[in-house]
Amino acid sequence: MKLDRGLLLNFDWTLFILVMVITLIGLLNIYSACLSISIPGQTPYYIKQIQWIIIGFAGMTIAFFIDYRFLARHAYIIHGIAILLLFVVLIAGNSARGSQRWIALASFSFQPSEFVKLTIILALSKYFDAHQLSRGYRLKELLIPFLITIVPFLLILKQPDLGTALILLIIFLAIILFVGMDYKSTLMAAAGGLVMIPIGWHFLKGYQKERIFTFFSPENDPLGAGYHIIQSMIAVGSGGFLGKGFLKGTQTQLRFLPEQQTDFVFSVFAEEWGFIGGIVLLLLFLSLIIWGLNIMLHSKDYSGALLSFGITMLILWEVFINIGMVLGILPVVGIPLPFLSYGGSSLLVLMTASGILMSISVRRFLLQK
Amino acid sequence: MLKLGNRLDVYEPGQLKHKFGILLIIVAVVLTILALRLWYLQVLKGDDFRQRSENNSLRLRKIKPLRGLIMDRNRKLLTENRPSFNILFIPDKARDIKKSIAKIKWFYSLNSLELAGNVSIPDKLKPFVPVTLERNATMEKVAVVEIHSFELPGVVTEITPVRQYLYGEANAQIIGFTGEVSRREIEQDITGHLSPGDNIGKFGIEKSLDAHLRGKSGTEQVEINATGKIVRSLGRIPPKSGNNVVLNIDLELQKAAWEAVGNRRGAVVALNPKNGDVLTLISSPSFDPNIFTGELSAGEWEKLSSDPQHPMENRAIAGQYPPGSTYKPIVAAAALETETITPDKSIYCNGAFKFGDRIFHDWKKEGHGETSLHRAIVESCDVYFYNLGKMLNVDVIAEYARGFGLGAPTGIDLPREKSGLVPTRQWKKDRLKSPWYAGETISLAIGQGFNLVTPLQLASAYAALANGGTLYRPRIVKQIESPDGRILQSFPPEIKGLLPVSAPNITTINKGLWGVVNERGGTGYLLKNAQQDVCGKTGTAQVIGLPQNAKEKKMTAETNDHALFVCFAPCENPEIVIAVILENAGHGGATAAPVAKKMLDVYFSNKLPERSPSQGAPASNKVQKQ
């Protein structure tokens, strides 16, 4: 088939290599982060992460070979399934640390909320591709995108998983701003948003409010939520310019930080590799994001442009919020660091999303407008 | 309604150029914020944070839990936890580890080089794990360390609860002791709660019930300064004390037995025949378990483990002795049940029994004359039982011995119990590769030969005779209680089986046992004046197969006979069974019976109504929480 040959000839090696390099850095980092907590008789985290990388690679390959327009066409069904899984989680999911996020599948457990991050991009892309306007959208024209977002948003908030819910909201806002809103509607939405803040605050759980308070004065609660911020900043800061070296992060090996293999994984990296390592990692992310936006720019159709925009924004904001949290400039919310945090669902979703990006990238050479 | 139903397709590739530019700016700004923050934390403030991570850092400190207490049946404490001072070294607090080690070595110049040796190999990956320099340090030493803390960076003191055994040697083999957990034990622990420096049970009840006694560590977040000292506590999760264990042991009886045995080698077991409660379990010589709570030197350990007297062996459950004449009632039971003899039938004893070309002597040279079964038990007539041995088959005797629980572990709740030995034809063929000789059955019938029993088995077998035929599993542990006194687990009596002996035959035998103590000529006549009717049986077991006539010629401490005595009281409705074995102590009636007598005196004079669990207030742990 002609298409197949084209897929390989025009393969986006830059994107592929960037993703794999960041993923492998993440793997080394998890190895270090979990060195001091390996439990005899239990599969070490880094081994599990390798298994997830292989699964993620499969997801990426499949996503690459499937035409993204096929995915876009079935976006509502896919998104619907993801929402259905969120219901399943609420009813029958496995609890961990007081929240229900996981569904156990054989020996793996996965988190439907991670998948929703991707399906929401698909669904919103389909909507705005199907309803293109040369002017800005009005509020009532955004009702369906709003519903696409709010349903999973509320389900995830109920889990409760503030971080993931926040990401959905950010993706929604980014895409709305991207497609453009009517001037009047923008003002109204902004006003409405301001009104919603105190109401939303009311619905936050005690510990969630506490985290936000804590963010402003971490020293007041050194054993609770502030502990993470302080320890994280000490770990990062003590890394200095050159870092303490691989496997030599004392804060890391001391297990000052709980969850250091997931949400706080960047502190491990920054402690051991220092400012130099941190900047290299940020540059890798920068390259990845710019490359993603480049794919958006050169996409042959609106659907591909929207999809690549959404995926790129997902990576950008997760990187910013996660690292910002670790560096003490944003409140602590549970958002994984793309490709680096331990956790199969996040990795699988992001690698699949990269596969979609590659699929868009390669098809700009194949599709004739 | 919206007019968005129709696809407009207004998209032109390249129309996003303007947005692409804006997005680039946003991405650049966002990532620059992170880069600047990273610069601020790592480069501008890097030294501060490094200082904080190295010196004035927050640390999660483990708070050791109080170990559960062990009590006797009347809730008298057998263990306590008292505060002890440890001196620790935290390698990562020492600026120069080599220098610090040299200083510590100088500081400990006198006798603790072994300890300093520990310090020379700090785990490179875990420089923050404290190394114990000295446990149980004296107050003076602690004070000196505190005063010199500036010269000894990384050397800190801590207070931890330490186990104390209140009646050291007397209970050592039952209660056991605790010690610092080994690397292997940590790896094998499935709960995952153990970490270096923890104390766990290593022996006895401390070991077998460790999971209950251990408790759960708490954590405390503390700020520590450059020398590793705790500056302030920022919050803590309190530790959870371990559960308490109540034993069936009666402390008073235990002490009485211990004193009565004195410095002789041997074992004493007392059981409640009605349920298998172990009231006393003594093994002598013993050791002081308190030495394990301190830093046991290699020399001390060597001395203890290589002592030819084996003070760490629990002779009561693992000492295997020929039962001697205490075996006779079992042979009698076999003979009665198989109708080999009747109680009325007499056998004439002239002091010797000829079998083939061999002559078996009676302990009484002049003989017992015309002897009935009753008199044979009372006077312990050997010739009578030689005759039974001739009439009985070795395998039949073995079958009945097993019926009395011999030849197999009793199942007591202590580790390392031995099974003793009930010889059979097959056993000899398998083990010694030789056929069974009829002459061997004859010496077997008086409890000599290959027979081996543990003191506990003997007590358990007699307990079954005493209660009319029920064999109970002996139980040391009565119940496990939570620190606030709730009963978490109790261990009710367990019937292991019934004696293969009819009630009339048990009565016949028990009458003989009554005669041993209460009839003129009885070998246990010494006990006759006790406050209660006592039934019993003496025994004297040959240590090695010396020719009987050679015995009188030379008696050394190693070749002297073992003295045995087993008794129960009151004869009607017995409450206590006592088995005493004294190694190389001569005749059972003369040496072992007085030990039992002293215990019976204590038992019947001190006997108080047993407190019900609800009355007993939970004993409080003595160490104050830190």
Side-chain angles (χ1 to χ4, degrees):
Chain A
M1 237 164 81
K2 192 187 164 204
L3 190 66
D4 280 349
R5 212 170 131 243
L7 280 177
L8 300 177
L9 279 176
N10 298 300
F11 184 69
D12 193 337
W13 285 104
T14 312
L15 178 59
F16 176 74
I17 289 167
L18 278 172
V19 167
M20 289 321 287
V21 165
I22 298 174
T23 305
L24 292 178
I25 287 174
L27 180 63
L28 279 180
N29 200 44
I30 284 167
Y31 178 75
S32 177
C34 298
L35 198 65
S36 58
I37 54 161
S38 65
I39 300 157
Q42 208 180 68
T43 316
Y45 284 111
Y46 73 94
I47 297 287
K48 286 194 194 162
Q49 184 77 352
I50 290 173
Q51 294 168 344
W52 277 114
I53 289 173
I54 293 165
I55 294 170
F57 193 83
M60 186 164 79
T61 310
I62 293 166
F64 169 70
F65 280 106
I66 294 175
D67 194 324
Y68 64 91
R69 289 171 304 173
F70 174 83
L71 290 177
R73 218 174 298 140
H74 298 97
Y76 290 162
I77 296 167
I78 298 169
H79 189 52
I81 291 169
I83 290 173
L84 210 67
L85 287 176
L86 286 177
F87 272 111
V88 173
V89 165
L90 267 192
I91 295 158
N94 291 351
S95 296
R97 293 175 292 259
S99 53
Q100 290 200 326
R101 297 179 192 175
W102 285 268
I103 292 179
L105 201 77
S107 64
F108 292 102
S109 57
F110 85 107
Q111 228 173 314
S113 55
E114 288 292 336
F115 287 81
V116 170
K117 290 175 184 173
L118 185 56
T119 63
I120 207 168
I121 294 170
L122 280 169
L124 290 176
S125 298
K126 178 183 166 81
Y127 179 83
F128 287 111
D129 180 47
H131 303 101
Q132 296 179 40
L133 289 180
S134 47
R135 53 161 176 86
Y137 289 81
R138 296 195 181 118
L139 272 187
K140 58 181 179 181
E141 291 159 354
L142 295 175
L143 185 69
I144 289 169
F146 181 73
L147 286 177
I148 286 172
T149 310
I150 197 73
V151 174
F153 175 82
L154 290 176
L155 286 172
I156 290 170
L157 210 55
K158 183 100 176 61
Q159 285 183 353
D161 185 351
L162 192 59
T164 308
L166 192 68
I167 285 291
L168 295 194
L169 205 62
I170 288 170
I171 291 168
F172 174 73
L173 289 176
I175 291 179
I176 297 294
L177 290 174
F178 182 75
V179 298
M181 253 171 104
D182 186 40
Y183 181 66
K184 225 172 82 189
S185 298
T186 311
L187 280 179
M188 279 169 68
L194 283 175
V195 173
M196 280 303 285
I197 288 174
I199 297 170
W201 177 258
H202 181 75
F203 281 103
L204 284 183
K205 299 220 179 275
Y207 78 92
Q208 291 167 331
K209 290 180 188 171
E210 202 177 288
R211 277 188 186 171
I212 293 165
F213 282 131
T214 301
F215 166 67
F216 292 107
S217 52
E219 307 282 344
N220 284 349
D221 181 22
L223 191 57
Y227 176 78
H228 294 183
I229 302 172
I230 297 167
Q231 291 308 327
S232 172
M233 278 162 59
I234 291 175
V236 172
S238 67
F241 191 74
L242 292 170
K244 293 177 184 171
F246 185 52
L247 304 182
K248 294 211 175 82
T250 53
Q251 298 294 111
T252 300
Q253 303 304 342
L254 273 165
R255 300 287 309 150
F256 273 123
L257 275 169
E259 303 300 304
Q260 63 186 17
Q261 73 276 19
T262 55
D263 293 348
F264 282 93
V265 79
F266 184 74
S267 71
V268 175
F269 183 81
E271 185 185 10
E272 297 190 341
W273 299 97
F275 179 71
I276 294 293
I279 289 299
V280 167
L281 187 63
L282 285 179
L283 286 175
L284 284 170
F285 276 124
L286 179 71
S287 312
L288 181 65
I289 290 160
I290 289 176
W291 199 257
L293 293 177
N294 191 50
I295 291 169
M296 172 204 82
L297 184 63
H298 294 104
S299 170
K300 282 286 189 289
D301 63 3
Y302 196 47
S303 160
L306 281 168
L307 266 176
S308 42
F309 170 77
I311 290 167
T312 310
M313 285 301 108
L314 172 65
I315 296 170
L316 172 69
W317 294 110
E318 283 202 343
V319 168
F320 179 67
I321 295 173
N322 179 285
I323 297 183
M325 167 188 90
V326 170
L327 301 184
I329 52 172
L330 290 173
V332 176
V333 285
I335 287 175
L337 182 56
F339 305 106
L340 270 87
S341 286
Y342 169 78
S345 313
S346 164
L347 192 68
L348 174 55
V349 166
L350 283 160
M351 288 186 86
T352 305
S354 309
I356 295 174
L357 271 185
M358 289 171 200
S359 168
I360 299 165
S361 177
V362 76
R363 284 182 177 82
R364 69 188 185 208
F365 300 105
L366 307 171
L367 301 175
Q368 293 305 316
K369 180 73 188 175
Chain B
M1 205 38 222
L2 292 182
K3 279 208 66 186
L4 290 170
N6 305 322
R7 191 180 163 93
L8 289 170
D9 267 351
V10 290
Y11 182 74
E12 284 296 326
Q15 79 170 45
L16 295 170
K17 243 194 178 115
H18 174 64
K19 287 181 177 173
F20 178 72
I22 295 170
L23 282 167
L24 280 189
I25 294 166
I26 292 172
V27 172
V29 167
V30 161
L31 294 181
T32 305
I33 290 171
L34 296 181
L36 286 176
R37 178 67 176 175
L38 213 52
W39 173 264
Y40 170 80
L41 290 178
Q42 296 193 303
V43 181
L44 292 185
K45 294 277 177 184
D47 288 341
D48 290 356
F49 281 116
R50 189 166 277 250
Q51 198 76 21
R52 269 183 94 170
S53 87
E54 284 170 7
N55 298 331
N56 290 303
S57 53
L58 301 178
R59 197 176 282 274
L60 288 175
R61 195 172 72 96
K62 199 164 168 174
I63 314 171
K64 287 183 182 161
L66 286 179
R67 199 166 169 84
L69 296 168
I70 301 176
M71 293 168 251
D72 91 330
R73 66 189 295 110
N74 297 313
R75 313 188 71 82
K76 285 183 194 141
L77 285 182
L78 306 178
T79 66
E80 268 183 4
N81 297 312
R82 67 175 169 76
S84 151
F85 295 94
N86 293 341
I87 300 174
L88 310 174
F89 174 60
I90 307 171
D92 75 339
K93 289 290 154 233
R95 280 173 212 99
D96 182 335
I97 291 182
K98 272 190 188 160
K99 238 184 209 169
S100 289
I101 291 169
K103 252 184 194 167
I104 292 162
K105 281 189 174 169
W106 161 78
F107 191 74
Y108 277 98
S109 56
L110 295 175
N111 56 1
S112 299
L113 282 173
E114 294 166 46
L115 307 176
N118 270 340
V119 188
S120 61
I121 9 161
D123 192 333
K124 278 199 178 100
L125 279 175
K126 292 180 176 168
F128 46 87
V129 172
V131 178
T132 307
L133 293 179
E134 187 168 339
R135 286 163 170 271
N136 247 333
T138 59
M139 274 303 288
E140 290 76 32
K141 217 162 200 172
V142 170
V144 172
V145 168
E146 291 287 327
I147 291 162
H148 292 81
S149 63
F150 264 106
E151 296 155 56
L152 296 167
V155 179
V156 296
T157 59
E158 65 162 14
I159 305 176
T160 52
V162 150
R163 201 61 152 175
Q164 191 162 30
Y165 300 97
L166 298 176
Y167 306 93
E169 292 188 312
N171 302 325
Q173 279 96 356
I174 303 174
I175 296 180
F177 53 84
T178 59
E180 190 169 334
V181 65
S182 71
R183 189 175 284 255
R184 224 189 66 201
E185 285 163 331
I186 293 174
E187 283 163 6
Q188 288 174 346
D189 179 53
I190 38 166
T191 63
H193 290 314
L194 288 177
S195 52
D198 284 354
N199 268 328
I200 64 162
K202 297 272 191 179
F203 198 79
I205 294 287
E206 290 273 35
K207 182 180 182 171
S208 58
L209 294 182
D210 186 57
H212 289 281
L213 290 163
R214 198 191 290 161
K216 215 177 152 198
S217 297
T219 47
E220 184 174 29
Q221 198 197 346
V222 290
E223 195 177 318
I224 53 179
N225 69 12
T227 58
K229 271 199 187 326
I230 293 165
V231 180
R232 64 187 172 125
S233 166
L234 299 163
R236 49 179 276 162
I237 300 160
K240 252 184 84 185
S241 295
N243 297 322
N244 296 332
V245 170
V246 182
L247 305 182
N248 285 315
I249 295 291
D250 183 313
L251 178 62
E252 294 309 316
L253 211 53
Q254 182 86 354
K255 284 199 292 195
W258 178 250
E259 280 161 24
V261 169
N263 55 12
R264 292 175 289 187
R265 272 176 291 120
V268 180
V269 175
L271 302 175
N272 179 346
K274 290 174 180 166
N275 53 23
D277 283 0
V278 180
L279 303 174
T280 302
L281 198 131
I282 293 287
S283 174
S284 174
S286 184
F287 61 94
D288 183 2
N290 289 308
I291 61 173
F292 291 95
T293 59
E295 199 72 52
L296 188 68
S297 73
E300 280 177 291
W301 170 249
E302 180 63 26
K303 201 179 137 212
L304 192 59
S305 57
S306 65
D307 190 330
Q309 308 263 26
H310 302 296
M312 289 181 70
E313 183 191 309
N314 189 342
R315 289 172 156 80
I317 63 168
Q320 303 183 104
Y321 303 91
S325 300
T326 59
Y327 203 61
K328 286 173 182 167
I330 292 161
V331 176
L336 287 169
E337 283 297 315
T338 54
E339 292 173 350
T340 308
I341 50 148
T342 60
D344 321 319
K345 198 182 169 231
S346 290
I347 292 171
Y348 187 77
C349 167
N350 62 3
F353 175 77
K354 198 161 179 282
F355 184 79
D357 54 357
R358 224 186 127 179
I359 293 172
F360 293 86
H361 292 277
D362 197 285
W363 66 269
K364 198 173 174 184
K365 264 189 223 160
E366 60 273 27
H368 298 273
E370 202 63 44
T371 310
S372 66
L373 176 68
H374 182 76
R375 293 312 299 171
I377 293 175
V378 170
E379 293 176 28
S380 204
C381 175
D382 290 332
V383 169
Y384 184 93
F385 283 95
Y386 290 143
N387 278 289
L388 292 193
K390 193 177 145 194
M391 290 184 260
L392 285 166
N393 176 333
V394 57
D395 291 329
V396 173
I397 297 178
E399 191 193 319
Y400 281 88
R402 289 191 184 282
F404 275 81
L406 305 183
T410 63
I412 190 175
D413 41 355
L414 277 180
R416 283 191 278 234
E417 188 189 5
K418 290 263 171 72
S419 60
L421 176 63
V422 171
T424 58
R425 278 174 211 281
Q426 191 62 41
W427 167 82
K428 196 179 173 202
K429 208 174 140 194
D430 293 346
R431 195 61 195 274
L432 301 177
K433 312 270 180 247
S434 86
W436 188 267
Y437 302 113
E440 289 170 331
T441 316
I442 288 164
S443 59
L444 195 74
I446 63 157
Q448 302 293 349
F450 299 115
N451 270 317
L452 290 175
V453 299
T454 67
L456 179 67
Q457 284 174 334
L458 206 54
S460 175
Y462 273 71
L465 277 177
N467 68 28
T470 309
L471 209 55
Y472 286 99
R473 186 171 83 91
R475 291 159 304 122
I476 294 259
V477 181
K478 184 192 179 79
Q479 59 198 35
I480 296 168
E481 298 177 356
S482 68
D484 56 16
R486 264 182 310 120
I487 297 172
L488 301 174
Q489 199 178 340
S490 56
F491 301 89
E494 250 177 72
I495 293 172
K496 280 183 60 195
L498 299 174
L499 294 188
V501 188
S502 70
N505 286 341
I506 289 177
T507 309
T508 303
I509 292 164
N510 285 354
K511 273 184 185 155
L513 297 177
W514 183 86
V516 169
V517 176
N518 299 288
E519 285 174 21
R520 196 158 284 278
T523 52
Y525 196 64
L526 266 174
L527 269 87
K528 191 185 178 336
N529 291 325
Q531 288 141 299
Q532 300 282 338
D533 256 1
V534 178
C535 294
K537 185 73 199 80
T538 57
T540 304
Q542 277 176 257
V543 174
I544 43 171
L546 286 177
Q548 288 207 332
N549 48 11
K551 247 202 291 189
E552 288 110 41
K553 285 182 187 162
K554 199 177 180 189
M555 276 299 169
T556 66
E558 284 76 39
T559 56
N560 202 354
D561 295 334
H562 294 329
L564 292 93
F565 185 71
V566 198
C567 67
F568 53 84
C571 285
E572 294 290 326
N573 196 16
E575 294 171 17
I576 181 169
V577 175
I578 301 171
V580 180
I581 290 184
L582 294 179
E583 293 180 12
N584 315 116
H587 281 281
T591 57
V595 172
K597 184 180 185 321
K598 279 182 187 154
M599 291 172 69
L600 290 171
D601 288 347
V602 168
Y603 184 82
F604 287 107
S605 58
N606 285 1
K607 215 183 92 182
L608 297 165
E610 211 174 300
R611 274 185 246 173
S612 66
S614 59
Q615 271 175 291
S620 62
N621 265 340
K622 288 212 169 163
V623 175
Q624 293 298 308
K625 285 181 183 155
Q626 300 167 55

